[in-house]
Amino acid sequence: MAPRKKIAVMTSGGDSQGMAAVIRAVVRTGINMNCDVFCVQQGYNGLIEGGEYIRKTEWADVRGYLPRGGTPIRTARCKAFYERPGRLTAAKNMVINGIDAIIICGGDGSLTGADRFRAEWPSLLEELVSKGELTAQQIVPHKHLNIVGLVGSIDNDLSGTDATIGCYSALDRISTVISWVQDTADSHSRAFVIEVMGRHCGWLALMAGVASGADFIFIPEQPREDNWKEEMCSIVKKHRDEGKHQTIVVMAEGAQDRYGKKITTDMVKDLLSDPHGLDLDTRVTIVGHPQRGGKPVAHDRMLATLQGVEAVHAVLEATPETETCFIAINENKIVRKPLMAAVQATKEVAEVIKAQDFEKAVKLRDTEFADMYNSFMITSNMNTGEDMTLSAEKRMKIGFITIGAPAGGVNAALRAAVAYCLSRGHEPVAIHNGFAGFARHHADEDSSVRPFDWLEVDTWATWGGSEIGTNRELPEESGMELIANLIAKYKFDAIFLIGGFEAFHSVLQLEKARDKYPSLCIPITLLPATISNNVPGSEYSLGSDTSLNELIAFADKLKLSASASRRRVFVCETQGGRSGWLAMIGGLTSGATAVYTPEEGLSMDMIVADIRHLRDVFQQDKGKARAGRLILINETASKVHTAKAIADYIHDEGHGRFQARESNPGHTQQGDIPSPIDRCRAVRLAIKCVKHLEQFGPKAQHDIQKIKKDPLTASVIGIQGAAVVFSAITDLEIQTDWKNRRPKSAHWMYMKDIVDMLGGRPSYPVPEKSLVGIMAKDAKRGLIVE
Ligand code: ADP
């Protein structure tokens, strides 16, 4: 039998949230794939020190790592590794331990060091043999070193990946601080200058600016024009004149002018508080190290876990000919990419900034960065860019309507869309309380159809719910003829819907009614927003990230309680309608023992197998492991086996050796303040939606037949794999499981095996009517090797 493969994992360089989750995923996947896994303590220091620093790690050792901040195996910067003698000792220690595959989670420095180590490996081994430190025989099984990188960094500064592990947690910390600051700023009508991390990368400052609706930002990639002082003061003055009571300026640490001269927080503060100018009571807040700390948000846990699993596959599949790769994410896809090309591109950004080629600097960042920058400029500097305004005949009257249950990010989307509309000269109009409100209250004095008041809308960036009111009623229920007549009466040139499955269904009903009602022959688009994340055409809906974070915050507490009480299992019910997305991703990001979804269904045999597993687990741990167990069950997974019933079965079968309780976070899953991810995506996608509507032009220019024939005039925006796309509702109609109100395939279904594997769940009898195989068929693992 071939000896077990030995792989190592380590964290290096600057720490970030999610590194602990990486270690858990690598250790457990490695063990699952029949490897011995070693954790190297303190980055490259540990490789050089050897001995106790390179520890074989077992399954149970990484229990509880998923929600932890920081890195439990420590990280370090290591001078000695820059020099060949340091790397020589590291190579020797690896061979002594039989390790020739290593997964490194760190920034571009750590990954550069790793690539260098790999390139030198054969010569290092030769030298070790020639010096008599290793025998020729010892090195035979370890001729090649395989390395895979994972990018752990709060700055999101590596080219080629949309997100690095930790960046969204840091953004969450910043956004929270800014929201606190906004409350006090507003009360005192103060201005705040907020400095965030990012010496060469303005991602955090940019995203924080977008998420919080800041007035002005400074980022290194895109310094302002020479007149930045006048520009900032005039924008702030304009916002104050409009009636704003607070001013927020976000600065990256690396803020500079076009000539590379640093712009400090004090310089900005002095300008804002100048008694001869704006004369604002101004304070400076430096967010500092809290940005690196705290629990990872759901996105970072997911990224760390999926990338950790992928890294083990990659390192085991690598051959001597394979280029060193790192694991990236592009939009919603986990991909392997050549490491050094990304490191080179990252270094190039710093160089071009130094050479003051700022256009190129933004281009070298991912497409989302440029998109977000433009979105920020549009929403913060609304109406001042004359060149954006369209000529009169191209302007449109656009009706906005939200349908279904509230979801985080809806207000941010409305704010961004309205700002974009106003800067283009369009007329954005709010239709209050969905189609029901439109149908019943259009004739009221306080009509359901009202233009947006910008001063009011401008404050919506961080608000939960829907400020224009929402309702589940479909247009056919409200009366299609009435709705069509109202659209004609108000002379709408386009309709912009935001909502979940009911909104999706509404778009289809409107499209189908076009033959009968010509007033519906206008462009209609939907921005999906629902915590169930079940809208066909998109792998992501606004609000889904907020609810996921709410759910895992709840689940973390349950696990803590369960582990403190020892030998307790919580069975927690999740929302999600007939889509198991929230339960499954909640399970992935909170570390569930089992997840029950409506797609798979539930059977007695399955529950019995899971109870047997729990019995074994609790028998083996002899009361030592302080780990609580968690089972997540979607609200519609079974009519008979409810969370309460399952908890009762488990409790009863525990015979006093273990206990079970049921728990339900209920409507708290809709969230409070939307997550920064939902807010930022809301801004980006909403602007894209208006641009999409814009391309068809106002009604006066419509050729009705052309509108009818163009399937994209009734569309849904979505993130699909690595792309943001508009899909025709008529195409999506056939991809929809109407009875179960979800897409026929599920992009997330491949994660089920990962959840089961990382939770240590043994195989179980699959319920007879399980759709898992069918739904996962079209939604492949999502691996692009570039
Ligand atoms: P980060 O990984 O966060 O970018 P650093 O740039 O400090 O952080 O790199 C972390 C460690 O990686 C360094 O302390 C060093 O041990 C190693 N390292 C970085 N660059 C190289 C290099 N060019 N050659 C060898 N080792 C390197």
Side-chain angles (χ1 to χ4, degrees):
M1 207 170 73
R4 279 165 77 88
K5 178 103 182 146
K6 295 179 177 186
I7 62 176
V9 57
M10 71 182 212
T11 48
S12 167
D15 63 327
S16 67
Q17 303 93 333
M19 282 182 158
V22 163
I23 299 156
R24 170 181 178 268
V26 170
V27 167
R28 294 196 167 178
T29 310
I31 293 173
N32 187 262
M33 294 182 78
N34 235 354
C35 301
D36 287 338
V37 187
F38 292 78
C39 283
V40 181
Q41 308 285 313
Q42 295 186 21
Y44 291 114
N45 274 340
L47 274 191
I48 295 175
E49 292 291 332
E52 263 298 286
Y53 284 77
I54 304 175
R55 289 184 204 160
K56 183 153 179 268
T57 308
E58 304 301 340
W59 186 276
D61 296 338
V62 293
R63 194 168 278 159
Y65 274 27
L66 188 53
R68 276 179 75 164
T71 163
I73 62 168
R74 316 271 181 275
T75 181
R77 302 193 199 273
C78 170
K79 267 202 180 141
F81 201 76
Y82 283 101
E83 311 298 332
R84 189 171 163 98
R87 295 193 293 275
L88 194 70
T89 316
K92 182 179 168 187
N93 283 327
M94 285 184 60
V95 174
I96 288 173
N97 282 287
I99 301 166
D100 53 20
I102 183 161
I103 293 164
I104 294 166
C105 182
D108 61 335
S110 303
L111 301 183
T112 306
D115 189 66
R116 196 167 172 194
F117 192 40
R118 185 190 183 201
E120 273 183 359
W121 182 259
S123 78
L124 291 171
L125 295 198
E126 254 173 50
E127 192 177 331
L128 286 165
V129 173
S130 70
K131 286 186 169 160
E133 299 202 26
L134 292 176
T135 65
Q137 227 161 4
Q138 265 179 307
I139 67 163
V140 172
H142 308 294
K143 284 264 154 75
H144 303 284
L145 173 64
N146 288 328
I147 283 183
V148 171
L150 289 171
V151 199
S153 157
I154 64 160
D155 293 335
N156 199 10
D157 53 355
L158 201 93
S159 299
T161 184
D162 294 349
T164 55
I165 297 163
C167 71
Y168 279 111
S169 302
L171 178 63
D172 178 74
R173 307 302 106 96
I174 295 167
S175 302
T176 303
V177 168
I178 295 182
S179 74
W180 292 337
V181 161
Q182 279 173 323
D183 288 342
T184 170
D186 207 60
S187 307
H188 289 273
S189 299
R190 278 184 183 140
F192 273 82
V193 183
I194 296 172
E195 185 188 281
V196 302
M197 286 185 174
R199 247 168 277 156
H200 302 292
C201 183
W203 187 87
L204 282 173
L206 169 58
M207 299 293 275
V210 173
S212 57
D215 298 82
F216 208 78
I217 59 169
F218 290 94
I219 56 172
E221 295 87 345
Q222 199 60 260
R224 302 286 180 150
E225 298 299 327
D226 291 351
N227 64 345
W228 65 265
K229 292 179 184 164
E230 293 78 21
E231 191 196 0
M232 181 183 76
C233 292
S234 92
I235 288 176
V236 170
K237 181 168 182 318
K238 184 169 152 271
H239 291 172
R240 289 278 174 165
D241 289 348
E242 278 168 3
K244 253 182 121 166
H245 286 283
Q246 49 158 297
T247 300
I248 301 289
V249 176
V250 184
M251 301 183 70
E253 261 174 320
Q256 56 174 351
D257 67 15
R258 300 190 77 80
Y259 309 100
K261 195 164 155 280
K262 188 165 171 53
I263 300 176
T264 64
T265 48
D266 280 342
M267 284 162 75
V268 176
K269 177 185 174 217
D270 290 347
L271 267 172
L272 294 171
S273 54
D274 181 1
H276 305 295
L278 290 163
D279 197 15
L280 296 174
D281 181 1
T282 307
R283 308 292 157 103
V284 172
T285 297
I286 304 207
V287 186
H289 279 79
Q291 288 168 89
R292 288 194 183 278
K295 291 183 170 195
V297 296
H299 190 278
D300 282 328
R301 297 185 195 192
M302 181 159 67
L303 203 57
T305 303
L306 297 179
Q307 293 194 340
V309 172
E310 187 57 33
V312 176
H313 285 268
V315 89
L316 293 179
E317 284 163 21
T319 65
E321 288 73 43
T322 324
E323 201 177 340
T324 310
C325 76
F326 79 106
I327 314 295
I329 182 164
N330 292 139
E331 296 293 356
N332 221 18
K333 256 200 151 79
I334 304 290
V335 294
R336 293 179 199 174
K337 285 188 154 177
L339 172 63
M340 284 324 283
V343 170
Q344 281 315 330
T346 306
K347 294 212 163 100
E348 208 182 331
V349 179
E351 279 157 22
V352 298
I353 291 176
K354 217 167 165 191
Q356 290 153 26
D357 185 353
F358 303 113
E359 210 174 303
K360 194 160 178 200
V362 170
K363 269 198 196 132
L364 284 170
R365 297 261 181 245
D366 54 70
T367 45
E368 193 190 18
F369 192 96
D371 253 12
M372 282 295 179
Y373 184 74
N374 292 334
S375 303
F376 177 79
M377 295 307 279
I378 288 163
T379 47
S380 66
N381 196 5
M382 206 258 310
N383 256 352
T384 50
E386 296 295 305
D387 50 335
M388 287 215 29
T389 313
L390 293 170
S391 52
E393 76 282 1
K394 289 191 176 148
R395 296 178 195 170
M396 298 163 76
K397 183 174 183 182
I398 304 178
F400 288 79
I401 188 160
T402 61
I403 320 261
V410 169
N411 287 319
L414 286 169
R415 174 182 178 270
V418 168
Y420 179 77
C421 281
L422 296 176
S423 67
R424 299 289 273 172
H426 300 310
E427 189 186 348
V429 175
I431 300 170
H432 290 256
N433 304 319
F435 287 107
F438 197 19
R440 288 180 209 130
H441 302 290
H442 62 94
D444 295 355
E445 208 173 300
D446 182 20
S447 159
S448 61
V449 184
R450 301 198 289 274
F452 286 97
D453 168 8
W454 174 245
L455 180 58
E456 196 193 341
V457 174
D458 192 25
T459 58
W460 293 358
T462 56
W463 294 11
S466 167
E467 284 303 302
I468 65 169
T470 178
N471 189 292
R472 283 183 186 276
E473 199 166 280
L474 300 174
E476 276 179 9
E477 291 164 344
S478 309
M480 189 59 86
E481 186 168 349
L482 177 58
I483 297 295
N485 288 343
L486 288 173
I487 288 175
K489 177 183 158 193
Y490 286 100
K491 297 191 170 62
F492 286 125
D493 296 299
I495 299 287
F496 186 146
L497 293 96
I498 306 180
F501 201 86
E502 284 93 358
F504 175 80
H505 198 171
S506 301
V507 176
L508 187 70
Q509 287 190 349
L510 294 170
E511 197 277 341
K512 289 213 182 295
R514 276 175 171 173
D515 278 341
K516 213 161 163 199
Y517 307 109
S519 66
L520 300 178
C521 293
I522 52 173
I524 299 166
T525 202
L526 165 67
L527 172 50
T530 163
I531 70 163
S532 303
N533 201 16
N534 60 341
V535 177
S538 186
E539 293 170 14
Y540 163 81
S541 297
L542 296 184
S544 58
D545 184 66
T546 301
S547 66
L548 189 56
N549 279 294
E550 290 290 337
L551 175 62
I552 65 168
F554 187 84
D556 284 353
K557 287 171 198 145
L558 287 184
K559 282 191 97 172
L560 189 67
S561 162
S563 63
S565 344
R566 292 185 185 208
R567 298 187 173 181
R568 179 168 287 181
V569 184
F570 272 101
V571 184
C572 172
E573 183 183 299
T574 76
Q575 292 194 332
R578 272 166 260 176
S579 161
W581 179 87
L582 184 60
M584 187 62 76
I585 313 304
L588 182 82
T589 49
S590 62
T593 300
V595 177
Y596 300 144
T597 62
E599 288 84 351
E600 184 173 37
L602 254 174
S603 69
M604 211 55 183
D605 287 346
M606 184 177 179
I607 297 168
V608 168
D610 284 331
I611 293 178
R612 228 173 248 147
H613 168 57
L614 287 169
R615 203 182 287 150
D616 290 347
V617 165
F618 287 118
Q619 196 145 18
Q620 279 160 20
D621 76 10
K622 299 192 180 65
K624 270 187 273 166
R626 292 167 49 83
R629 301 279 152 178
L630 178 71
I631 292 178
L632 294 182
I633 172 169
N634 162 285
E635 57 190 350
T636 66
S638 165
K639 281 197 181 113
V640 182
H641 308 298
T642 59
K644 165 98 176 60
I646 295 169
D648 287 345
Y649 308 148
I650 298 174
H651 193 78
D652 200 47
E653 289 294 320
H655 298 296
R657 288 192 292 276
F658 54 93
Q659 308 172 330
R661 295 279 187 278
E662 170 235 357
S663 193
N664 189 343
H667 282 77
T668 63
Q669 288 163 89
Q670 286 178 358
D672 175 14
I673 297 174
S675 73
I677 291 189
D678 280 334
R679 286 187 255 158
C680 289
R681 287 192 176 164
V683 171
R684 181 177 175 222
L685 296 177
I687 292 174
K688 279 192 191 296
C689 283
V690 183
K691 284 183 178 169
H692 177 73
L693 294 172
E694 215 170 44
Q695 69 182 336
F696 302 104
K699 204 167 175 178
Q701 293 170 12
H702 287 166
D703 170 344
I704 287 196
Q705 289 314 320
K706 239 172 122 183
I707 292 282
K708 257 184 99 168
K709 269 195 206 129
D710 185 342
L712 283 176
T713 55
S715 63
V716 178
I717 194 171
I719 294 180
Q720 290 177 14
V724 178
V725 292
F726 282 90
S727 307
I729 193 80
T730 42
D731 290 340
L732 295 176
E733 182 185 2
I734 48 175
Q735 296 170 29
T736 302
D737 175 351
W738 288 95
K739 183 169 151 258
N740 288 310
R741 298 160 53 87
R742 64 188 181 215
K744 282 183 183 161
S745 71
H747 67 276
W748 48 270
M749 201 52 97
Y750 77 95
M751 295 184 207
K752 189 190 128 40
D753 290 344
I754 296 176
V755 176
D756 287 347
M757 185 266 288
L758 294 175
R761 188 182 185 192
S763 61
Y764 54 84
V766 175
E768 219 174 285
K769 292 192 176 157
S770 167
L771 295 174
V772 170
I774 301 163
M775 294 185 77
K777 202 171 58 182
D778 299 333
K780 291 177 288 309
R781 182 129 168 269
L783 183 71
I784 304 174
V785 182
E786 290 193 12

